[in-house]
Amino acid sequence: MKKYAFNELTVLQYVFFIHGTQVGIGVLSMPRELAEEAGTDGWISILIGWVCATVASLLIVNIMKRYPGKTIVDLIPVFFGKWLGMVVSALVACYCALAAMTVIANGIGIVNVWILSQTPGYVLAILTVIPTYMVVQGGLRVLGRYAELIFYLTLWMPIVVFSILPYSNWLHLLPVLKDGWMPVFSATKSTILSFLGFELAFFLYPFLQRKQYASLGIVVANTLSMLIFMHITVFSFSFFSPDEITQYTWPTLNLWKVIEYRFLERIDIIFLAFYLFFLSTTTLPYMYFTVFTTSQMVGSADHRKHLFILMILIVVGAWLYTPTFIDLKKWSEVWSMTGMVGGYIIPVIWWLAIQLFRRGKGGQKG
């Protein structure tokens, strides 16, 4: 019997799992970050970031094809030994925990600023960890179904953005490459980091039912994320002037603030409420793989005890410490740097090592 048969994912769940992990905080701030680096040519950086993320994703899938029944946590002791493997596994768990904590803290900060300005952060943390525990305790299959459900529930959001078309000025996007290619390449850094989430394929591959579609699935997931990033970025560039957009911390929220209907005002509040579900599809996978890794380290198949402890630590941490906007930015930068190593650099090095090993054996498989 397969080790992970109980938590197997369908191809669609696999696609939406990775896509949901990618579409998180970046959607809110990406238009501003791109405008600061490359002006209204920043949309080109999204395409370059998509290419980089897709190449790295395919390398990860190609690597994991050699170990179809094992996750990265199973492989670490094989390559590093028992004790050094424990250290590396702990670093993997810390990376996943950092990603989850960064998204949770940013989500709480956004809600504090935009909706519940008088509500203490620890209260929002309690309201966050209760549904988080209920979903994550169900395991990977439940998370896959959850990601698929949230994708369908939020399909209306990109459609509503078309309401600003009459107020858009597409001349803001012209001329293309007004400052050359260097600003575009400089802005690519923020886009390739926004695609982080595909590195979870190191964990997901053995859970996939039809592994022959792993490459296609991860390309589709990256493409869906690219279309979302491109959609909101282009509309933001066309609505705000090139100088105005850099003044907003979260220009996507400001974009939704101007959308109104006769029967409904402040649709940005509704958007933010639904967007919290989007944030959860980023938080929950990293949360799950944090406790999945720690439970595997101690030889336990049940991750719920570790999850309960992590939830308590989050609430206590939110009660003792409220991060500032600068702190959140630093957390995001650390996550970005570690994600760059884990998502882009390590797959390239690992793949090259496999190719050199194969050549050393005369091209034989093994």
Side-chain angles (χ1 to χ4, degrees), residues 22 43-61 181 184-199 218-219 221-223 225-226 229 339-348:
Q22 293 174 322
W43 63 271
I44 304 176
S45 302
I46 296 177
L47 294 176
I48 300 174
W50 169 73
V51 171
C52 295
T54 301
V55 171
S57 300
L58 292 175
L59 289 180
I60 292 174
V61 172
W181 282 100
V184 172
F185 289 129
S186 178
T188 300
K189 179 182 177 182
S190 63
T191 62
I192 62 177
L193 296 176
S194 294
F195 279 102
L196 284 176
F198 66 83
E199 77 278 9
I218 206 165
V219 171
N222 285 327
T223 303
S225 300
M226 181 271 290
F229 294 148
M340 179 73 75
V341 174
Y344 292 93
I345 297 177
I346 288 179
V348 171

